[in-house]
Amino acid sequence: MRLPLSKYVWFDGKFILRDKAMIPITTHAIHYGTSIFEGIRAYWNGKNLFVFRLDDHVKRFRRSGQFYNILLNFSDKEVTDAITGICKKNKIKKSCYIRPFYFVGDYGINLHVTEKAPTNMAIFSFPFGDLFNKNGITAGVVSWRKFSDMSTPPQAKMGGNYLNSIIATQEAKRNGYDEAILLDHNGNVSEAPGENIFIVREGQLITPPLSSSALEGITRDTIIKIGKDLDMDVLEKDVTRNELIISDEIFLTGTAAEITPIISMDDKKIGNGKPGNITKKMMEEYSDIVMDKNEDYSHWLTPVY
Ligand SMILES: Cc1ncc(COP(=O)(O)O)c(C=O)c1O
């Protein structure tokens, strides 16, 4: 699938035409997955384009590389300006997805990556609507386990880590599900290939802890904060596979997936097989926040224009 990329991309400090962005075949990241990326959304509300939680994305962007001493050669301000800049340069007035990434460049076949390894950074963007059916999707637990801190750091949002997501997705699709759920190294629920997971039981909002190798998702954090602000019980605790099946509601969170209800898990209906009330409330709150309709959270929005 070719993405409908905006005309200009950003590459190592400059805006260039998308077809002019080229890298050598010896690029280290292609061979070893030494790339770091963020997925960011910007929302057009008819008046302005708002980038959601930009500062938090930039923070995680830099931190991911630090696990491996891979340097981001641009300051937080430069990265922030480049991200809003790509929207301005392309005159974007539609909700879109923005993908900044940096990677180890021409570094031979050397596995000893140090701060001295050359890195490049780029950003592209494309118009983006719903990733999943917002009326609800099916999910199934897969046999592949989420990798843990015992092998590679789950909090580093790096290209190589996503092979685990890819093989999990392949298995879920083969089994006829829309999305995979991965268990952690202890057999508790971790997350989906590109989303965090929440369950609702007896009115409590529960999500697996980071010790279950879940990514510290920015949407996960958003839902935790909204839940607490609504005076709900929000718990970060181990979730067993069994609890998934008997939960009243399940939803996924992620920049791309936003809030997506799961209406069937391992072929068992969740609740009445429709998005539950708490899930629907979270979807509404989230959509109001990103569209600048709730001023309590407007500090999470960076206006582009
Ligand atoms: C593995 C994984 N988990 C969770 C998430 C959700 O994170 P966020 O809400 O920051 O997009 C993502 C997406 O970035 C992801 O790739």
Side-chain angles (χ1 to χ4, degrees):
M1 179 188 63
R2 281 204 82 179
L3 291 169
L5 287 200
S6 53
K7 185 171 171 195
Y8 292 100
V9 299
W10 185 97
F11 193 59
D12 281 340
K14 293 194 186 82
F15 292 106
I16 58 172
L17 288 170
R18 63 184 166 233
D19 294 340
K20 300 275 183 226
M22 307 267 205
I23 54 168
I25 58 170
T26 47
T27 298
H28 196 269
I30 298 174
H31 300 270
Y32 301 121
T34 43
S35 58
I36 290 107
F37 69 95
E38 278 298 316
I40 303 177
R41 273 192 191 253
Y43 292 88
W44 175 251
N45 74 352
K47 292 191 192 119
N48 208 334
L49 185 68
F50 294 98
V51 185
F52 188 56
R53 298 197 66 170
L54 180 52
D55 294 349
D56 297 300
H57 281 286
V58 172
K59 233 183 257 165
R60 187 171 66 185
F61 193 46
R62 185 174 303 281
R63 198 185 58 210
S64 290
Q66 286 168 346
F67 286 100
Y68 292 87
N69 296 326
I70 296 174
L71 282 194
L72 172 55
N73 292 322
F74 298 89
S75 69
D76 287 359
K77 168 128 185 19
E78 284 168 324
V79 174
T80 302
D81 289 350
I83 290 169
T84 51
I86 195 139
C87 300
K88 281 187 205 140
K89 178 78 182 171
N90 287 294
K91 304 187 174 68
I92 297 174
K93 293 202 166 171
K94 261 187 189 169
S95 293
C96 64
Y97 184 91
I98 306 164
R99 166 58 58 90
F101 59 108
Y102 59 107
F103 51 93
V104 178
D106 206 349
Y107 195 53
I109 59 165
N110 195 350
L111 289 182
H112 187 206
V113 173
T114 69
E115 294 87 350
K116 295 206 176 79
T119 61
N120 304 95
M121 180 184 155
I123 313 174
F124 61 77
S125 135
F126 53 91
F128 201 36
D130 287 343
L131 176 69
F132 288 122
N133 183 349
K134 289 294 176 55
N135 294 320
I137 61 168
T138 65
V141 171
V142 294
S143 60
W144 298 98
R145 292 291 170 95
K146 173 81 197 220
F147 62 90
S148 77
D149 260 322
M150 290 187 285
S151 51
T152 45
Q155 300 309 332
K157 205 166 155 45
M158 310 250 328
N161 285 351
Y162 283 78
L163 290 173
N164 184 230
S165 298
I166 288 168
I167 205 153
T169 304
Q170 288 172 337
E171 184 177 327
K173 295 280 185 188
R174 215 166 39 237
N175 292 339
Y177 301 117
D178 296 321
E179 186 58 308
I181 301 300
L182 292 109
L183 303 180
D184 70 10
H185 58 286
N186 289 321
N188 292 318
V189 176
S190 176
E191 60 175 350
E195 302 87 32
N196 291 108
I197 187 166
F198 282 80
I199 65 170
V200 178
R201 285 198 70 200
E202 312 281 337
Q204 281 186 325
L205 203 51
I206 305 166
T207 194
L210 303 187
S211 53
S212 281
S213 306
L215 184 76
E216 195 169 12
I218 291 167
T219 323
R220 174 185 184 274
D221 178 70
T222 302
I223 291 301
I224 291 174
K225 294 213 163 91
I226 298 173
K228 288 184 176 163
D229 288 350
L230 291 172
D231 279 334
M232 293 177 64
D233 272 347
V234 186
L235 300 179
E236 288 179 64
K237 71 163 199 73
D238 286 343
V239 174
T240 63
R241 182 175 186 173
N242 167 63
E243 272 176 294
L244 274 185
I245 306 294
I246 56 172
S247 54
D248 303 323
E249 303 180 27
I250 309 179
F251 60 87
L252 299 180
T253 65
T255 297
E258 301 169 307
I259 317 299
T260 296
I262 289 183
I263 51 176
S264 147
M265 173 64 68
D266 284 343
D267 296 320
K268 298 203 172 51
K269 219 195 258 184
I270 298 301
N272 62 4
K274 298 207 173 106
N277 288 339
I278 292 181
T279 306
K280 284 196 286 194
K281 175 77 182 154
M282 289 298 163
M283 292 170 84
E284 268 167 38
E285 290 277 328
Y286 190 78
S287 151
D288 282 354
I289 290 170
V290 298
M291 288 294 189
D292 196 29
K293 288 189 194 152
N294 185 339
E295 61 184 30
D296 291 346
Y297 300 94
S298 56
H299 57 280
W300 278 339
L301 304 178
T302 302
V304 169
Y305 301 108

